[in-house]
Amino acid sequence: MSKINLDDYGLSTDFIGKNFILLDEVNSTNTYIIDNLDSLVNGCTVAAKYQNSGKGRLDRKWYTEKDNALTFSVLLKTSMSTEKKLLIVFAAACAVKLMIKKLYNITPHVKWPNDIYIENKKVCGILCENKNDNIIIGIGINVNQDSFAEEIKDIASSLWLITGIKKDILEVLSITLNFLESTIKTLEKEGFYPIKEEILKNFYLQGKNVQVQSGKKKLEGKVKGMDDNGYLILDIKGKEKKINSGDVHICF
Ligand code: BT5
């Protein structure tokens, strides 16, 4: 474990990332926070140089390469309503999008509900978990990798491969945390509308024909947007259907 002050890397928040733990290796930064919930403060941020069991949704794997990828989690001890807590994943996606625009000068797309895409490749995934009313926001960003595991080599890319810009991982972390604190404050004070509008500006799925796996149900339709609750709006043969969670595949 290293003691690092993220202010030296551009952090300018009130509480997120002020308490920072950098681990050399861990199973998953989300799991680390869940296992140490009582001893960690609101806004505590845990990053790992290497995650040996990084996780995605539904127990899927998150692959990372030692030192070149950013994997971190933020603990939010918040009294937000349950409805708002479910929207934190979008505040996080919005923060990553704004970080990429600021540091790399390109505009990525948000793929509902929890991915960031550039040039049809996934560069970031987000996993929000709820434990004893606390929210753990886990974010994996492909920063400086130049190759990927066989399983994901066709779907993943890194910010370095796409832009040719190599960045200090801790700078990328600090700027993401700055935006994360501001998008979470926006969600708390102004509600979902400003976040939704920012996401819809570059909505990866807009107008696309998709197949959505939601629990045991499979639905096919055209994406019309996202509603005020963060639900995906589908047009299925002229009828509108709203979906609150699921995996979306584009139909070519
Ligand atoms: C996600 O799940 O995309 C959420 C990933 C969250 C990772 C962070 S890292 C810090 C924190 N600690 C954790 O243990 N997790 C969080 P999902 O939508 O289920 O997507 C998972 C799928 O993304 C996998 O099945 C792969 O197809 C793909 N994938 C895995 N690793 C990837 C990578 N590095 N880049 C792009 N795609 C990847």
Side-chain angles (χ1 to χ4, degrees):
M1 197 188 295
S2 322
K3 269 266 164 226
I4 284 173
N5 185 348
L6 289 178
D7 292 358
D8 298 339
Y9 295 87
L11 188 79
S12 59
T13 56
D14 292 333
F15 73 103
I16 290 183
K18 287 289 177 199
N19 192 284
F20 176 57
I21 297 169
L22 178 60
L23 303 167
D24 282 329
E25 182 170 345
V26 71
N27 48 6
S28 146
T29 52
N30 269 31
T31 306
Y32 180 92
I33 289 193
I34 290 169
D35 290 347
N36 295 281
L37 214 46
D38 293 339
S39 60
L40 301 176
V41 297
N42 184 28
C44 175
T45 299
V46 177
K49 291 182 185 169
Y50 182 61
Q51 280 190 144
N52 55 41
S53 304
K55 55 186 182 181
R57 293 176 303 152
L58 304 170
D59 278 337
R60 284 186 289 238
K61 240 175 126 171
W62 184 256
Y63 298 88
T64 43
E65 191 191 317
K66 194 172 180 337
D67 293 326
N68 285 331
L70 173 57
T71 52
F72 70 99
S73 304
V74 174
L75 171 61
L76 275 193
K77 296 190 169 183
T78 167
S79 56
M80 267 188 219
S81 66
T82 310
E83 291 75 28
K84 273 194 181 168
K85 280 181 182 161
L86 292 172
L87 296 169
I88 288 176
V89 66
F90 298 110
C94 201
V96 174
K97 177 190 153 179
L98 294 170
M99 175 282 289
I100 292 173
K101 177 86 185 87
K102 183 179 166 91
L103 289 185
Y104 295 90
N105 201 24
I106 45 167
T107 305
H109 286 78
V110 177
K111 178 169 179 255
W112 186 92
N114 66 323
D115 295 337
I116 303 289
Y117 269 63
I118 306 175
E119 296 172 357
N120 291 319
K121 299 277 177 156
K122 181 163 168 173
V123 296
C124 163
I126 299 165
L127 174 69
C128 287
E129 296 186 272
N130 193 337
K131 186 79 186 171
N132 303 345
D133 250 8
N134 303 290
I135 302 290
I136 297 98
I137 309 168
I139 303 182
I141 306 178
N142 298 330
V143 180
N144 292 332
Q145 295 106 305
D146 61 6
S147 63
F148 289 90
E150 190 59 32
E151 293 87 336
I152 56 165
K153 70 176 180 15
D154 295 331
I155 58 157
S157 192
S158 72
L159 293 165
W160 182 51
L161 283 174
I162 292 167
T163 64
I165 299 170
K166 232 177 202 180
K167 285 276 176 198
D168 188 315
I169 299 277
L170 294 178
E171 182 192 2
V172 175
L173 171 62
S174 302
I175 305 307
T176 307
L177 294 178
N178 292 347
F179 282 117
L180 183 64
E181 186 169 290
S182 81
T183 55
I184 284 170
K185 282 182 176 168
T186 300
L187 181 64
E188 272 172 338
K189 289 186 192 139
E190 298 169 45
F192 186 46
Y193 185 77
I195 309 271
K196 181 183 112 171
E197 289 301 294
E198 185 60 45
I199 286 179
L200 287 178
K201 273 191 219 162
N202 315 91
F203 200 48
Y204 184 68
L205 299 171
Q206 190 68 37
K208 292 188 171 139
N209 290 314
V210 298
Q211 189 178 74
V212 185
Q213 181 83 45
S214 182
K216 285 187 178 153
K217 276 197 219 146
K218 226 180 224 175
L219 299 164
E220 272 187 34
K222 192 180 201 146
V223 173
K224 289 181 73 183
M226 179 169 68
D227 78 359
D228 293 342
N229 299 309
Y231 287 22
L232 187 71
I233 309 171
L234 274 194
D235 178 326
I236 303 179
K237 294 182 183 146
K239 275 199 176 158
E240 203 174 276
K241 172 97 186 152
K242 294 184 173 182
I243 295 156
N244 68 344
S245 69
D247 277 316
V248 186
H249 304 281
I250 294 169
C251 305
F252 291 100

